[in-house]
Amino acid sequence: MMHPEPTMKRAGGPTSAVDRLSALPDELLHVIVSFLPAPLVVQTSLLSQRWRRLWRSTPLIKIDEQDFGISIMDRASTLEGRWAKFEYFATNLLLFHDNTSALGGFRLHCQVYNWRHVDRWIRRGIEYCPSVLQIELVGHVPGFKLPPMLESNFHCLKRLRLTHIILNSHFTGSLCSACPVLEDMNLSYSEFCDICPQCIISPKLNKLVIEYCSNNTRYPLVITAPSLTYLCLSFGNFLAGILLCKMDSLVKAKISVPEDEISEENQRELLGSLCNVTSLELIGFEAEVTLNENPDEFPIFHNLRTLSLHSRFFNGYELTDKLEALGSFLQNAPCLEKLSLQYCMFYSFSDSEWEIETKNITLPRHDGKILRCQKLKLIEVVYDHDHDHQLIELVWSLGRSLPDANIKLNKIDRFPPWSISLCSVP
Amino acid sequence: MSESELAVIKPEALKTYIWLQCFDGSIQQVEEEVAMFCPMICREIVKNGTGSSKNHAIALPERVNPASLSLILDYCRFHQVTGRSNKERKSFDEKFVRIETEKLCELTSAADSLQLKPLVDLTSRALARIIEGKTPEEIRDIFHLPDDLTEEEKLEPLKNINDDPRIRLLNRLYAKKRKELQERHERQKLKDVQVQKEQKDERSLDELLCFINGDGGSGGRATKSKKKNKRRKDHAKNPPKADSEPLDAEGAACVVPCKVDSSNVSRLPCQNPDMQDDAEYPFEDADLDDGLDPAMKEELDREVEDFARRLNSVWNESHIGGNGPVQRFSGFNHR
C-alpha cells in the first residue's frame, strides 16, 4: 500500500488536476485491475462513471477464497459464514460478466467446501471459453471431478492448469484433442481414473508438466505430443507407467522418479523416448537402468548437451561400478558438454552421530577405463555433506575417468534448515 | 547477445544512433541498442528502415510524450544489458516506479503504445499497488477522478457485495417482473425452434410453480435477470409495486434461497441434485436477448431503476432506525 505521493497537492482549479488514469484505454485499465484481488476490482465501480462498468469486462476473472479470509486451516464454524459470502460474491461475479464468448483467463483457487458451488463456478468459467484456465483446489480434497463440458468451450484454450482434479477419459480423450491451440498444460496432484487407456493427444502442446499425479488403473498413460518442447514429469503413482510417443520436438526434459515407483523396464522405456532431447534432468533413476550388458538397448542421445543427474546411483554398488554405469550413459551421449551430478553417487547424512572420523584416506589406484566423452568440458558436483570422505573419492575417480573435464564443486544444502537469526552482541 | 557486448566495448564514436520524433515535433537521438529494446521501434527500424537520420526520424505514437520517452529510454538502457542479475533488475524496477502517479499513468500509456510489455506490467502493478487498500474517496483524490456518480449509483452493496439484502430483493422482484413481461410477450409472438424450445420447457415448469406457489417465484429466471439487466442496481420497478413488495417478500421467502443460489440448472426451489448432472443444460446467458424486444427491455429497466431509487431511500431511513426491513430479510441470508 503506497501513500499518496507528497508532491501531489489537492489542486484548486480543474485545469491543474487532470485525471490521467481514466484517460488510459480500457485494455490498460484492465491490466491494472488484473493485479487487484477480485473484490477490489468490483469496488472500482464506485470510483467514477468511467469505472462503473469496467469490472464487468475485465479479461481475467479470479476467484480466490483467500480474498475472503478463507484458509484451509479454518474451523467449520468460521468457514460457514465466510464461505457464504465468498459464494455469493463468486456466483454474482461470474453472472455479471460481460464477455461470455472469449474470456482472457479464469482462475479458481478454493477448497471444496460445497461441491455444488464449486461445480457451478467451474462450469460457468469454462462456458466463457477462456484462454487461460487455472483450477486449483486446495485442502484435504480427494479429487474433484470436472463437470461434463462442451468441447466448443475450449477452442481458445492456450494454457491449462489443474490441481487436485479427477481426470476421466473424457478429459484426456476428447478435451485434449478439442483444444486446437493448447500450448501449455500443467496437471498436479490429479488422478487419472477411468479404467481404459488414457491418452493425452495434443498437436500443438508445447509444454507439459505432470506432477504428483496418480493412475491406479492398470493402463498406462500415453502422451502423444509431437510439438512438445518441454516435458516435466514428477511421478506420483503410476501403476502402469507413462508412455511417451512421438516426442520428436522435445528439447528439454525433467523426469523425477521416486524410489521404487517405476519398474526398471519402464524407466528404460522412458529414457528411450527421450533420446532427442538437448537437455535432460533425471531425478531418482537407478543405476541398473544404465548398467546393462547389452549396450544396444540403451538409447543414444544424439543431441544431448546438458545432463543433470539427481539423487541417483544410491544402491550398494561400488563406486567403480557406479562410474561404469555413468560411463555407459556418457558413451551414448556423444555431444554432451555439461554434466551435473547432484546429491549423487553416495549417501550423506548430516546427523553427527553417524560421523565417522576418518583420519586417513587411501585413494585406490584407478583401474577403470577412461570414459569416452569428448565434448564434456564441465562436470558440476553438488553435495551437501561429505562424510567418510566419499566426495573426495568420487571427485578423484571422476578426474581420472574423465581427464579432459573441469570439475566444479558446489556445496548447497539440500534441505536448508530453518534459519534462526541470533542477535549478535557487539 | 553479442550485439550488446559489442556495444559495451565500442567506443562512443562508433555507436549507431537512432532518431526518434515525438508527436510534438521534438527530435532526439538514442543509441541503437537501447532503442531496439522497444518492439515497436525495433520493427520500424527493421521493416521500414527509418530512424537512421534526423530527416527520417521514427515517428512515435501520440501517447509518447518527451518526459515518458526519456523514462522509457532509461528503462531500456538499463535492461538491455545482459549481464545484470535478477536482483539488480528488480531493485532498479522498484526505484523506477517511484514517481508521481500522474507521470506513472502517462508512462503506462507510452509504454503500451511502444508495446514494451514488461514495462507496461511493471507500471500497471505499481498503479494497482496504489489503488489497493484505499477507499474510493482516497483513490479519487490521488488520481483526480471526477466524483460523478449519483447517490444511488454509489450503492453500499458494491462495497459489501456479499451480504446486502437489497440485492436479493431486487433480484427477486426483477425476476418476477421479467417473467410477467415475458409471458405477455410469449402470447404475442411465435418462437424460434432451437433455442426457445429449451426455454419453453423451463417456462412451463416455472409456470407450474407459479401456479402452485401462487406468486412470482422462479428459480431459473433470476439468473437470467441478473445477467440481463446490467443497470439492475439503479433501475426500479413501478412505484406502486414498491409498497406491496416488502410485504410480499416474506410470503415468497421459500423461493429466495434458490434465487441467489440457483445455477443454470436448478429451476426448482428444492435444488434437485440430479439436475446438476444434466449435460445439456441451457446456457442461459447466451440466449437472453431473445423474447424481449428493446422497448420492453427499456420499460423493464426503467421500472427497476425507479424501484431501486425508492428502495434506497426506504433503506436509509430504516437503517437509522435499525429495525424494520433489515430484520425481516435476515432470514433469507441462510441457505
Side-chain angles (χ1 to χ4, degrees):
Chain A
M1 199 165 88
M2 280 172 64
H3 298 292
E5 299 298 331
T7 49
M8 305 278 287
K9 294 186 187 80
R10 190 64 197 255
T15 46
S16 41
V18 184
D19 177 10
R20 299 241 180 262
L21 188 61
S22 303
L24 296 176
D26 274 359
E27 302 84 46
L28 275 185
L29 291 181
H30 284 151
V31 173
I32 295 172
V33 300
S34 70
F35 295 113
L36 295 172
L40 246 86
V41 178
V42 175
Q43 284 180 28
T44 58
S45 56
L46 286 176
L47 290 177
S48 73
Q49 282 289 352
R50 168 86 171 90
W51 289 80
R52 264 190 69 218
R53 278 227 225 310
L54 205 72
W55 65 278
R56 286 214 186 98
S57 50
T58 54
L60 178 66
I61 298 182
K62 291 185 293 192
I63 299 180
D64 189 342
E65 64 173 15
Q66 293 166 324
D67 294 337
F68 284 81
I70 301 176
S71 79
I72 52 177
M73 312 287 280
D74 281 349
R75 277 179 319 208
S77 45
T78 38
L79 192 50
E80 194 181 337
R82 288 183 190 174
W83 183 269
K85 294 189 179 172
F86 173 51
E87 187 276 326
Y88 186 76
F89 175 79
T91 305
N92 281 310
L93 182 68
L94 283 167
L95 283 170
F96 276 120
H97 202 82
D98 281 350
N99 185 356
T100 56
S101 59
L103 193 61
F106 177 64
R107 272 197 256 159
L108 175 64
H109 174 109
C110 67
Q111 40 184 294
V112 189
Y113 178 73
N114 182 318
W115 174 88
R116 209 169 280 138
H117 296 156
V118 178
D119 184 76
R120 178 197 309 160
W121 298 330
I122 294 178
R123 283 181 199 241
R124 187 66 69 125
I126 292 174
E127 248 178 76
Y128 290 165
C129 305
S131 294
V132 173
L133 178 62
Q134 204 168 310
I135 303 177
E136 233 174 282
L137 301 176
V138 295
H140 315 293
V141 50
F144 187 88
K145 199 161 183 179
L146 285 177
M149 293 171 286
L150 292 182
E151 291 172 17
S152 55
N153 288 328
F154 291 94
H155 65 274
C156 295
L157 192 64
K158 268 199 173 155
R159 280 200 344 242
L160 175 63
R161 192 191 166 108
L162 301 174
T163 307
H164 273 128
I165 304 282
I166 295 178
L167 307 165
N168 52 17
S169 55
H170 177 64
F171 170 80
T172 48
S174 23
L175 288 180
C176 286
S177 34
C179 305
V181 293
L182 185 62
E183 287 174 1
D184 186 335
M185 180 150 77
N186 183 322
L187 306 169
S188 313
Y189 299 99
S190 298
E191 190 184 336
F192 295 89
C193 66
D194 277 352
I195 305 183
C196 64
Q198 303 236 31
C199 315
I200 296 180
I201 303 172
S202 183
K204 285 230 168 119
L205 195 64
N206 225 318
K207 184 174 165 191
L208 177 61
V209 175
I210 298 185
E211 283 180 321
Y212 313 113
C213 296
S214 65
N215 182 351
N216 290 317
T217 69
R218 56 188 173 84
Y219 290 94
L221 175 67
V222 181
I223 303 175
T224 308
S227 308
L228 199 67
T229 54
Y230 176 73
L231 173 66
C232 174
L233 286 178
S234 280
F235 274 81
N237 180 13
F238 281 85
L239 275 187
I242 297 183
L243 287 177
L244 305 171
C245 307
K246 282 206 201 130
M247 297 272 146
D248 303 327
S249 315
L250 199 60
V251 171
K252 194 168 167 197
K254 177 177 169 182
I255 318 273
S256 168
V257 176
E259 224 175 299
D260 296 332
E261 275 297 331
I262 309 190
S263 71
E264 210 181 289
E265 197 185 311
N266 279 335
Q267 289 185 34
R268 218 171 276 148
E269 238 175 349
L270 262 177
L271 282 180
S273 30
L274 298 171
C275 49
N276 280 329
V277 296
T278 306
S279 165
L280 183 61
E281 195 175 330
L282 297 175
I283 304 174
F285 279 66
E286 267 313 322
E288 287 94 358
V289 180
T290 38
L291 236 182
N292 49 3
E293 290 82 33
N294 192 351
D296 291 335
E297 273 181 23
F298 196 73
I300 298 184
F301 293 83
H302 294 281
N303 303 326
L304 194 62
R305 294 232 168 72
T306 313
L307 175 64
S308 172
L309 300 173
H310 197 298
S311 312
R312 203 176 175 208
F313 296 124
F314 279 158
N315 46 25
Y317 289 91
E318 285 287 329
L319 188 58
T320 39
D321 291 327
K322 291 184 193 178
L323 280 172
E324 201 178 313
L326 179 62
S328 60
F329 200 140
L330 297 180
Q331 229 166 306
N332 287 12
C335 298
L336 191 66
E337 290 167 12
K338 180 177 170 195
L339 172 67
S340 175
L341 297 170
Q342 300 186 40
Y343 312 109
C344 228
M345 298 283 197
F346 60 90
Y347 282 114
S348 57
F349 303 101
S350 58
D351 202 339
S352 52
E353 274 179 40
W354 292 77
E355 186 157 353
I356 305 165
E357 209 180 294
T358 312
K359 296 231 169 85
N360 302 308
I361 319 168
T362 310
L363 294 167
R365 215 192 105 222
H366 184 73
D367 286 332
K369 54 186 175 181
I370 293 181
L371 304 176
R372 272 175 286 134
C373 199
Q374 285 166 347
K375 295 203 179 157
L376 184 60
K377 292 298 165 218
L378 177 63
I379 302 177
E380 186 190 9
V381 178
V382 176
Y383 68 101
D384 50 1
H385 296 279
D386 176 36
H387 295 275
D388 273 1
H389 306 288
Q390 296 180 68
L391 178 66
I392 297 183
E393 271 190 8
L394 170 65
V395 175
W396 168 258
S397 310
L398 278 175
R400 299 290 297 221
S401 320
L402 295 154
D404 293 329
N406 291 324
I407 301 181
K408 183 171 147 190
L409 296 176
N410 263 334
K411 181 166 187 224
I412 304 173
D413 256 328
R414 191 169 180 182
F415 307 109
W418 292 0
S419 54
I420 307 167
S421 54
L422 300 164
C423 306
S424 59
V425 182
Chain B
M1 255 193 337
S2 57
E3 265 183 9
S4 42
E5 281 171 311
L6 277 174
V8 172
I9 44 176
K10 246 191 203 171
E12 280 290 326
L14 290 176
K15 278 193 190 174
T16 34
Y17 284 82
I18 297 291
W19 299 85
L20 303 171
Q21 181 171 30
C22 293
F23 202 70
D24 64 353
S26 60
I27 300 182
Q28 47 169 307
Q29 65 173 22
V30 71
E31 301 92 326
E32 184 180 10
E33 65 267 7
V34 173
M36 292 283 269
F37 201 70
C38 290
M40 183 249 162
I41 298 179
C42 188
R43 222 196 337 268
E44 285 289 312
I45 297 176
V46 170
K47 275 196 179 164
N48 303 341
T50 40
S52 45
S53 73
K54 205 166 181 178
N55 295 333
H56 299 284
I58 297 175
L60 295 176
E62 189 182 339
R63 288 190 279 156
V64 184
N65 57 22
S68 302
L69 179 63
S70 71
L71 281 171
I72 291 177
L73 293 176
D74 286 341
Y75 180 86
C76 293
R77 197 169 287 120
F78 182 87
H79 280 284
Q80 57 94 16
V81 177
T82 44
R84 302 201 198 272
S85 71
N86 282 341
K87 213 172 166 186
E88 281 177 13
R89 290 182 196 268
K90 225 179 157 190
S91 164
F92 173 85
D93 286 346
E94 272 168 40
K95 288 198 203 98
F96 188 74
V97 287
R98 278 194 219 141
I99 53 180
E100 274 184 17
T101 42
E102 214 175 285
K103 291 217 169 62
L104 198 53
C105 295
E106 288 176 349
L107 183 58
T108 312
S109 183
D112 180 55
S113 56
L114 293 177
Q115 294 154 5
L116 194 52
K117 189 148 193 336
L119 184 55
V120 173
D121 283 344
L122 175 64
T123 46
S124 301
R125 230 182 256 268
L127 285 166
R129 272 200 298 270
I130 299 177
I131 294 175
E132 205 165 349
K134 305 243 176 29
T135 66
E137 291 84 31
E138 288 170 348
I139 298 173
R140 262 184 242 124
D141 203 21
I142 296 172
F143 291 101
H144 307 304
L145 298 178
D147 193 356
D148 55 4
L149 291 174
T150 58
E151 279 313 307
E152 69 259 22
E153 285 165 344
K154 290 187 199 171
L155 288 178
E156 288 272 0
L158 284 174
K159 244 184 188 163
N160 302 305
I161 195 170
N162 33 13
D163 59 359
D164 198 288
R166 280 178 286 181
I167 293 188
R168 295 163 197 249
L169 178 61
L170 272 175
N171 283 345
R172 230 169 356 96
L173 296 170
Y174 188 91
K176 176 178 175 180
K177 183 66 183 178
R178 186 196 153 86
K179 226 197 89 41
E180 283 169 23
L181 282 173
Q182 200 131 17
E183 280 168 337
R184 225 187 294 154
H185 183 77
E186 237 182 282
R187 283 177 228 128
Q188 296 158 17
K189 266 170 75 176
L190 275 174
K191 268 138 223 121
D192 174 42
V193 177
Q194 186 207 346
V195 164
Q196 307 297 31
K197 236 182 190 165
E198 293 175 341
Q199 291 201 337
K200 216 175 180 178
D201 291 340
E202 239 190 83
R203 273 192 283 275
S204 59
L205 267 169
D206 286 332
E207 277 173 326
L208 271 174
L209 265 179
C210 272
F211 182 71
I212 294 170
N213 286 340
D215 62 342
S218 74
R221 250 345 123 241
T223 58
K224 284 195 180 191
S225 62
K226 275 186 206 170
K227 165 70 176 136
K228 172 75 171 165
N229 187 13
K230 294 179 184 188
R231 296 184 304 254
R232 189 192 51 74
K233 288 203 178 70
D234 31 353
H235 294 172
K237 301 195 125 197
N238 277 326
K241 283 230 174 223
D243 297 324
S244 58
E245 286 311 337
L247 297 170
D248 210 21
E250 234 173 8
C254 61
V255 191
V256 174
C258 81
K259 204 71 63 220
V260 184
D261 195 25
S262 56
S263 66
N264 287 337
V265 188
S266 63
R267 303 164 197 142
L268 310 172
C270 56
Q271 289 193 333
N272 191 349
D274 293 339
M275 302 194 87
Q276 292 283 345
D277 298 329
D278 191 8
E280 47 100 13
Y281 59 89
F283 299 114
E284 291 175 9
D285 294 345
D287 33 64
L288 275 178
D289 281 327
D290 61 327
L292 271 193
D293 58 23
M296 224 177 279
K297 267 195 251 177
E298 281 234 23
E299 190 197 324
L300 200 53
D301 291 342
R302 250 179 285 122
E303 287 177 339
V304 181
E305 175 166 7
D306 240 352
F307 175 72
R309 235 179 273 126
R310 281 190 133 255
L311 197 55
N312 270 329
S313 50
V314 167
W315 253 203
N316 284 335
E317 291 166 359
S318 60
H319 262 213
I320 297 167
N323 312 316
V326 181
Q327 294 293 333
R328 269 233 202 108
F329 296 130
S330 61
F332 302 158
N333 289 345
H334 303 303
R335 271 177 259 124

